Amino acid sequence: MDLCVFGVDDGYAEAIIRGLRASFLTEAQYQQMKNCASIPELKSFLEETDYQNCLQADNPQIPTSILRQRLKKKLADEFEYIEAQSTGTLTKYLFHLRCRFMIDNVVNMIEGLKNKIDIEILLSNIDPLGWFPEIKNIKVLEGDDYSSLYRDVLIDTPIGVYFMKFLEESIENLHENRTLNDIQNLFREMKPEYIRTSLKKMWLEDFYVFCEQELMPTSQEVLLELLKFEADFKTIQVIYNSIGNRDLNTAAKIITTRKQLCPTIGNLYPDCEKMYLQAMTLDTLREAVKGCDNYRDLLKDAPDPLKREEFNVQTKTLDDIMYDDECRRYALAFDGQGSYGVFYSYLKLKEQEIRNIIWLAEMISRKLAKNHPGWKKIIIPFSHLGK
Amino acid sequence: MSLFRSEQMEYYNLVIPRESAWDVMNTLGYFDSVHIIDYDATLPQINRPFSNYVKRCDDVMQKIEQIEAEMRNFKIEKRYCPDVIDLLKKRNGSHKQFEELEQDICKVADDLEHQQQTLTSLQEKKNTIRENLEVLRNAVAFQNEDSEEASLLGFQKMVGVILKEDELRFKRIIFRITKGNIHVEIMDIQEHFIQQDRRSVQKCVFMLFYPCGDLTQKKILRVIDSFSCNKFDIPTSSEQHAQRITMLENQLIEADQLLHLTITQINKRLQDLVEVKYNCSWIEEMRILITKEKYLYMNLNMLNMTNSVFHGQIWLPQGQDQKIQQALRNLHGNDKQLPSGQIQEQQTQLTPPTYYKLNSFTYPFQEIVNTYGIPRYKEINPGLSTIITFPFLVGVMFGDVGHGLLLFVCGLYLTTEDARKSIFSGLVPMRYMILLIGFFACYNGLIYNDFLSIGLNLFGSCYNLVDGEYEIQEDCVYKFGIDPAWGSSANQLTFMNSFKMKLAVIIGVTHMTFGIILKGFNTIHFNNYIDFFCEFIPQFLLLICSFGYMDFLLFLKWCTKFEDTKDAPSVITTMIDMVLRPFDVPEKPLFESGEQQRSIQLLLLTIIAFCIPVMLITKPLIFSLNKKNHPYQQIPSQIPDDDANQEQLQNDMQKDQSQPHSKVSIQQHNEHDDIGELIVHQSIETIEFVLGSVSNTASYLRLWALSLAHSQLAEVFFSMTIASHIGEGGFFGTIGSIIQFPGFALATFGVLMCMDLMECFLHALRLQWVEFQSKFYKADGYMFKAYSFTNIKSNEQDD
């Protein structure tokens, strides 16, 4: 039924997205990009693609960071345009998508400030997709007092909710007779990466609930499926990365941290929860997730996290494997009709494309040999569909 | 003749030494007749020898666009170039010219940018002064008793300006950060500020009262800092306060003057740029020259460079080679040191491009044909006959003297110079077509005797009105068209319908026969005698013997005088009987005797029956026999031959990829599969033709249907609006018709002149494409694309 009325409100936005499908670089274009000898050549190649307009003003020897910024700006502009064309639920939905980038931005800012990087540089490096007016006011932050940052600045922002939850949870975990100092210390010691993962987990759960409650059945079907996989991947990642992690020295600590960071949605939760929380080696993790779909296959090729030191560029890391699998799912979702999945997929696939370009730009600027395995480490959106 | 078949093309090898590449290309650009073949169309632009020049041209172009954008901001109009070629000839330099131009433009653009920056910084300065001034002025408003008291109590003030849109956020964050211990006052500044990006924004003055304390102050400063707003001090005494205000006011006036000065300067500078030097503004001249430069290098990039010599293949229309060779020889004048380019004729297997010399009269008609498909090289171009047949077919459907005249006048207007500048400039390329449609609509209107749904009695009717009955005069024939007396007869509609229907079929059969005859000419021209005898002759006979005969019957019936119309035989019945009961003697013969008619019809039927198998099987038969004749001799000799050809073909294909649609003329007949394919193809063609001849003839009935619709609509509009008033006459009739006239005029314009004309146009298009062109037109050629500076247009024409 909802397929009949999908076009009424969201048809135009969907049509634009479908049109933007043509802007994805093709395999042949990637091949050409790989053949570029220098950054100026890569830039002039990109100027013949859809990225033409966003690069024209820059000089040929463009640094990768600026290149990334430009590419992201283009994506943000497109997204903003679609957002402006949307109404009702779609607007809310698109806003939710943005929140992920906002979290990234805020955490990046915090991380940068911690490392005493100048705020102007940080501001110029933020992801335009996750820009919101209050982000400038993070400057107000004094020291490492996240709770005051939240209280003063982030409370009014869209992602304030997640921060509040995060703070509450963190404080709850402290022992009974806590003092203000304890709390401040806690936050001071907290790693930005930890904040990011927990915030994203909250966002994911929140977004899941939103999709479940507000979207029409077709969108729900597509999105919930995607989000479940994403949650599972996140879980696996957390477990995987915590195996052999030196900072978490006791088994009990590992398990509590994992419990905090693993999303409470997805195919693995709650059935396999007990198993994976206990997993201390790659094999036990494989065993834990074997009940679900093709996760076992995914993990089959993953390198052992205990031998982390031996990793190099050639290693196909777990992230690469997962990106590859996600990319396939998003491409499938993109080609589905009448669902909001297409917006989500578009964003994800474009992100992947930007990652690819940046990766290639890095490879080129380092002048690596053409037989270097790194050249193969790009995942081309939609390349799975042809086969 | 040039429109009948495309121009004879010749294939040349172009060799240019690098030193004179620019000059040669520059010379060739003025000839309107060089088609350069891209040697490798898949090669990206960046890998070509002159890609950096193209890039530089693009960069300069961008600069020009920036300057032009600035001009639009200052509302300065530039003059477009009326004659690009003339300008290019006047400004013809050498390849070094580009560098000069590039420098000039960069300098101008940089200067302009510099001035822009000065302007922005001035603007900013002015904004700051204004902000300060506003703060001071508003501060007076805050200076009431409460604030006096507050300062006595140890409260401090902080004043500044923030964006209006940030106001709420600012208040909230201040509240949060100091837990509500701060009093915030906000005063809007009425006048808007102009930002750097020329956006006008509203700002407001804020004033904070906070209790003394370093911590709070630090916090507040940080917040203010994060909003990137300006903070100002307020002098303590009112005397100083007034002084400051006057000082700032003076500064403001100064800044304003400076600003004004800069703006005038920029304006003057821009005015200089639009000054006319040759025949257009300087900036436009630059744009054209740079476009030419880019165009030249783009085309030069199509040539293959090896060892600093450019090799390329070009197509030339026959007869142009002498001129070009002459021009190339004279290129360096007396200076024999510099080598010039050369062209050499070459044999090739490639299909030449299709090239017609067009003028503004033939253009729209050729465009109609090209929209369907580009004619094959040397194929008969339907565009020539379209010049008359197409407007005529529209005219048959749009037949009305009044409407036709209106259209004709429109066409006349479009041919005038004024029309180019009016809003109808889009229709100007179509002007001659509209003119002809108007003419033929008029002509057909005269035949139908229809003037805005009223008959015209031009030559004196042959009927006399006697006692309300029409009586025909003896031996009288109305000179031209339909007698106006039919207009008022009771069976007018039946009569007109039967007349128009017959006319439609006659026109249709003639049109299609013409198409088939063109096919005959094509087969003769290409020496394809198999097609001539196996396709053209039987097709021609089939159409003539079936529907040609029907047309003949129509004429015969018109020429025969029947005493009682009930005795007149029906043509349709005759035709049906001819097929279904060929051996019966017709009851009502159109010929003198039924026997005669029967034998003629039997003969025609025999011919038709004979034609179909000829079309169906002879061609495959001849091909398979040809193959069987030399089954063993050919195979060994063919294999190496084939391979060589294949290689050649591949080479050619590589060279020729610039025209993906181009067909290589030698077709590799792999005859084993070919026979089967040919049989299938031939049977489809035959069935299509036989069925098509019936359905296409029926399709021409749209001529009648649309003309009927047109005349009926015209009649309805006339009778519903002013007809009754005109009939009434007198004062009230006049008043009534004046009131009703706008309705009539609007309906005539909107429905008949616009919608109906469009419909007639579309139906004529269908008849042209489907019914006519399907008879002979292959349409698989590709366009001749001349490398010519005439392709460079002044901006105006682009818009």
Side-chain angles (χ1 to χ4, degrees), chain B residues 288-325:
Chain B
I288 289 169
L289 290 177
I290 297 297
T291 319
K292 172 206 159 180
E293 214 66 31
K294 185 183 170 190
Y295 184 66
L296 192 151
Y297 283 121
M298 290 279 271
N299 278 283
L300 198 53
N301 273 341
M302 288 192 188
L303 307 180
N304 191 6
M305 190 179 80
T306 39
N307 302 331
S308 77
V309 173
F310 287 94
H311 292 277
Q313 274 72 41
I314 54 171
W315 289 107
L316 285 181
Q318 202 174 30
Q320 289 286 336
D321 52 334
Q322 289 297 329
K323 278 192 222 164
I324 287 177
Q325 262 163 358

Side-chain angles (χ1 to χ4, degrees), chain B residues 505-709:
Chain B
V505 174
I506 291 166
I507 290 169
V509 174
T510 321
H511 200 205
M512 286 191 291
T513 316
F514 178 56
I516 294 173
I517 290 172
L518 290 184
K519 180 183 189 140
F521 281 128
N522 263 345
T523 56
I524 292 170
H525 182 266
F526 291 115
N527 290 331
N528 195 348
Y529 292 108
I530 296 178
D531 274 5
F532 182 79
F533 289 110
C534 308
E535 283 191 355
F536 164 62
I537 299 272
Q539 283 182 357
F540 182 73
L541 286 176
L542 192 112
L543 195 69
I544 289 295
C545 296
S546 53
F547 291 99
Y549 175 65
M550 189 167 99
D551 281 3
F552 172 75
L553 288 182
L554 291 176
F555 281 110
L556 193 67
K557 194 177 164 188
W558 274 339
C559 298
T560 320
K561 188 165 183 182
F562 296 97
E563 289 308 319
D564 186 355
T565 42
K566 284 190 185 102
D567 287 342
S570 156
V571 175
I572 295 172
T573 323
T574 314
M575 287 302 290
I576 291 170
D577 284 349
M578 171 177 157
V579 181
L580 292 185
R581 288 181 292 160
F583 301 109
D584 296 0
V585 179
E587 286 164 22
K588 292 178 184 172
L590 262 163
F591 289 81
E592 274 165 27
S593 72
E595 274 300 319
Q596 195 187 358
Q597 183 168 342
R598 190 185 73 137
S599 44
I600 288 173
Q601 288 181 350
L602 267 177
L603 177 70
L604 294 176
L605 270 182
T606 324
I607 295 174
I608 292 173
F610 181 69
C611 282
I612 296 175
V614 170
M615 281 198 282
L616 195 62
I617 53 173
T618 28
K619 207 169 152 186
L621 210 63
I622 290 169
F623 270 101
S624 62
L625 281 179
N626 264 353
K627 194 198 109 200
K628 270 180 193 155
N629 278 346
H630 338 266
Y632 298 107
Q633 291 153 351
Q634 268 192 352
I635 290 172
S637 69
Q638 229 180 5
I639 288 172
D641 200 63
D642 248 19
D643 281 357
N645 272 347
Q646 206 78 43
E647 258 178 37
Q648 169 77 25
L649 193 73
Q650 273 170 0
N651 284 341
D652 289 346
M653 288 294 274
Q654 275 171 2
K655 283 178 196 157
D656 203 45
Q657 267 158 345
S658 60
Q659 295 91 21
H661 302 296
S662 70
K663 297 284 185 304
V664 177
S665 63
I666 39 162
Q667 272 151 16
Q668 296 290 311
H669 282 296
N670 200 344
E671 292 183 13
H672 305 285
D673 317 330
D674 228 40
I675 295 292
E677 224 169 82
L678 194 72
I679 292 172
V680 173
H681 183 77
Q682 197 64 24
S683 48
I684 291 172
E685 286 254 297
T686 310
I687 294 167
E688 196 186 295
F689 184 83
V690 176
L691 294 182
S693 61
V694 181
S695 65
N696 289 357
T697 312
S699 179
Y700 275 96
L701 288 176
R702 74 185 67 233
L703 290 177
W704 154 62
L706 272 123
S707 122
L708 172 73

Side-chain angles (χ1 to χ4, degrees), chain B residues 456-473:
Chain B
L456 295 173
N457 194 355
L458 291 176
F459 307 104
S461 175
C462 285
Y463 291 86
N464 289 332
L465 196 60
V466 180
D467 302 335
E469 290 274 328
Y470 282 106
E471 260 178 29
I472 192 159
Q473 291 171 12

Side-chain angles (χ1 to χ4, degrees), chain B residues 4 129 174 208 221 363 379 453 520 583-584 611 618 641 649 774:
Chain B
F4 191 54
I129 296 171
I174 290 287
L208 306 174
L221 282 175
Y363 166 77
E379 177 180 37
S453 79
F583 301 109
D584 296 0
C611 282
T618 28
D641 200 63
L649 193 73
S774 68

Side-chain angles (χ1 to χ4, degrees), chain A residues 108-176:
Chain A
N108 283 346
M109 288 286 275
I110 293 171
E111 194 176 1
L113 287 176
K114 246 185 170 178
N115 296 335
K116 305 265 182 290
I117 298 171
D118 188 47
I119 189 134
E120 293 305 322
I121 299 173
L122 289 175
L123 278 175
S124 68
N125 274 337
I126 57 169
D127 189 339
L129 264 173
W131 189 88
F132 54 102
E134 286 87 352
I135 198 150
K136 288 186 290 182
N137 304 118
I138 293 186
K139 258 192 208 179
V140 180
L141 174 74
E142 276 175 87
D144 297 332
D145 193 357
Y146 296 127
S147 51
S148 81
L149 173 73
Y150 160 72
R151 225 173 30 234
D152 299 336
V153 183
L154 294 174
I155 186 163
D156 296 323
T157 65
I159 56 167
V161 202
Y162 305 124
F163 256 89
M164 182 175 75
K165 247 202 235 157
F166 169 70
L167 292 172
E168 275 171 5
E169 266 178 32
S170 314
I171 292 166
E172 258 171 41
N173 285 335
L174 282 179
H175 45 87
E176 278 299 298

Side-chain angles (χ1 to χ4, degrees), chain A residues 29-80:
Chain A
Q29 282 173 314
Y30 276 108
Q31 205 52 47
Q32 281 178 307
M33 262 160 56
K34 284 180 194 167
N35 289 335
C36 289
S38 62
I39 292 289
E41 209 172 305
L42 179 75
K43 181 179 172 270
S44 50
F45 172 79
L46 286 175
E47 276 174 19
E48 282 182 30
T49 64
D50 206 44
Y51 290 108
Q52 185 180 21
N53 293 333
C54 59
L55 293 171
Q56 240 162 21
D58 292 295
N59 75 13
Q61 201 66 47
I62 184 169
T64 6
S65 60
I66 307 246
L67 180 67
R68 187 205 314 261
Q69 210 57 24
R70 295 282 181 274
L71 302 182
K72 287 212 161 164
K73 181 83 181 83
K74 177 171 178 285
L75 179 60
D77 286 345
E78 283 164 1
F79 195 75
E80 202 174 324

